[in-house]
Amino acid sequence: MADDAKKLSLFEKIGNFFDGVKAEYSKIIFPAKETLRKQTIAVIIVSVLIGAVIFALDFIMRYLLGFVL
């Protein structure tokens, strides 16, 4: 009989889920516009640099393998 009291209806489960979502959403700290701008620029610069390194390594390996094959 104790198990019957613990069973929740579908709507109660959905309500509990959204209560949890609301509680977690209130804990989010959104960055300031300036911080977001700086971090976005940093990500773009690092991505371009890593892409350039990968391109250079690929070019060098292709050139060196051209002698072997």
Side-chain angles (χ1 to χ4, degrees), residues 37-62:
R37 187 180 70 78
K38 286 180 181 179
Q39 290 178 354
T40 301
I41 290 170
V43 167
I44 291 170
I45 289 171
V46 169
S47 297
V48 168
L49 290 176
I50 290 174
V53 168
I54 291 172
F55 173 78
L57 290 173
D58 180 54
F59 185 78
I60 291 168
M61 283 190 224
R62 201 175 338 154

